[in-house]
Amino acid sequence: MLEISPESVEKEIPENRLYSIRLVSTPRTGKIVTYWLLGILMLLIIILFVPWQQNVSGSGQLTALSPQERPQTIQSPIAGKIDSWFVQEGQFVKQGDTILVLTEIKEKFLDPNLLPRLQEQVAAKEGVITSTFDKAAALDNQIQALRSSLILKLKQAENKVIQSRLKLKSDSIDLVAERLNFSIADTQLTLGNKLLKKGLITLIEYQRRQEKFQASTAKLISQENKVLDAQNSLLNAQIELNSIRADFQEKVAKAESDRSSTLAYVAQSEGELAKLENEYSSMLIRNTFYTLRAPQDGFVVKAVRVGLGENIAEGEPIVTIMPSNPKLAIEMYVKAMDTPLLRRGQKVRVQFDGWPAIVFAGWPNVSVGTFGGIIQVVDYVESNNGSFRVLVIPDPEDEPWPTQVRMGSGVYSWAMLDNVPIWFEIWRQLNGFPPNLPGDVLSVEPKGESASSKAKKK
């Protein structure tokens, strides 16, 4: 109705009887939908201002914090043949328990008496070294004896040289005296001849002087012979002295050469002995490798080589052991652009594969089936495909992680950041901007204890 006139006819003519009016009027259902849409729009506008916690998501798997608590593959340290198994898959073993026994396949080690034979060789070589040392000691004594004898011989020869020199000196003095006597006798004979011619002396006196001259001549010749003999004796004594020195030097040099050769043989024998002892020790250690034992308490997870009599190569994996009671951690991988937003001690929410959960990443308090964690390690280098590895440990202030999850289970996690309005988060996502950098990330992260300090504390 246009309601131009102040007089209303609605009471006279009901609207539901007028077809045209019914067509242009708003249906009741439309009004209800309009109210609902307005309500939803208002709700969405309100939700846009609701706080939303930004996060950095990453996926990974469950592992152990300590490398020694992670699953490890036991490898064969030697090549051999599987003789017998002592465990089954899934069985719990303690440290030192026998897993399997190998037998030798290399020709070099097939002799069952190899160790006693090596020990005999070591003992024989030790005996050779002892005997050679005794020979070297005997040569030392021989050298000392030669040097002592050389001193005595040289003293004796030097004394003989001195005696010969003194005798030569004495004979030389006698020669001078005989020459003087000969000169006097010669002078007297000459004078006697003159006096005899003048008749001043008798013939007998002259003959007496001739006799004295002849005797003096004979003595002079005899003394000259003695001097020559003394010179020859001195020369022979000096030659003998030099010969003694040369002879003893030759003998000492030969003894020292034999001693050096003996010591060289000792050194060579000691090297061979060390090689034999090394081979013997290596064989002792190798005998312990025939029995493979559990390195720590854990569960036998998977046997890689199973057949009896099957040959395995050196370093080939045989069985995998899962350590018992490991300290669990999550190995999470995040994008390189998100790594600066993470720090040690930061809170993380965790969802395990196969564990029922309802997740609201921005409202962690509303999520169901998620668990708390704390970032323990952020790698300093990328791990693979440009991603960085982050290790997350359980949050002691939150609910404990379920015991049903196993090592290697898939994990999805969120590192919680700043609180922002939802409209800001939508705007950031549409523009591809990174999350806000928390203020405490800019602070210097406390350094953890070094491995050496932890070892000292233990």
Side-chain angles (χ1 to χ4, degrees), residues 224-299:
E224 286 179 348
N225 288 331
K226 288 183 179 180
V227 171
L228 291 176
D229 290 339
Q231 289 178 346
N232 289 333
S233 297
L234 177 60
L235 182 60
N236 291 333
Q238 291 176 342
I239 292 173
E240 184 179 1
L241 176 62
N242 294 331
S243 176
I244 290 173
R245 286 176 178 172
D247 184 41
F248 273 89
Q249 286 178 356
E250 180 181 358
K251 291 181 179 179
V252 171
K254 184 177 183 305
E256 288 181 344
S257 175
D258 293 342
R259 178 178 177 273
S260 299
S261 299
T262 303
L263 293 178
Y265 182 73
V266 168
Q268 180 181 358
S269 299
E270 287 178 342
E272 294 175 356
L273 176 62
K275 185 177 179 181
L276 286 173
E277 289 177 342
N278 184 25
E279 187 175 355
Y280 179 76
S281 300
S282 299
M283 192 60 199
L284 282 176
I285 297 174
R286 184 181 179 87
N287 283 347
T288 63
F289 292 158
Y290 295 135
T291 302
L292 269 67
R293 303 182 183 277
Q296 57 180 317
D297 297 349
F299 296 90

Side-chain angles (χ1 to χ4, degrees), residues 56-65 70 329-336 338-348 350 373-384 387-393 401 411 413-415:
V56 172
S57 62
S59 60
Q61 60 184 4
L62 196 64
T63 182
L65 181 62
R70 296 171 187 171
I330 294 173
E331 194 175 39
M332 180 178 71
Y333 292 91
V334 299
K335 297 179 181 178
D338 296 331
T339 305
L341 304 173
L342 304 178
R343 71 197 185 283
R344 183 179 178 183
Q346 190 171 352
K347 298 287 186 179
V348 176
V350 178
I374 298 177
I375 295 179
Q376 180 70 13
V377 177
V378 180
D379 282 351
Y380 289 94
V381 294
E382 62 93 17
S383 298
N384 52 10
S387 299
F388 283 77
R389 190 186 66 153
V390 179
L391 291 180
V392 179
I393 61 175
W401 290 358
V411 180
S413 55
W414 304 268

Side-chain angles (χ1 to χ4, degrees), residues 14 24 184:
V24 298
I184 294 172

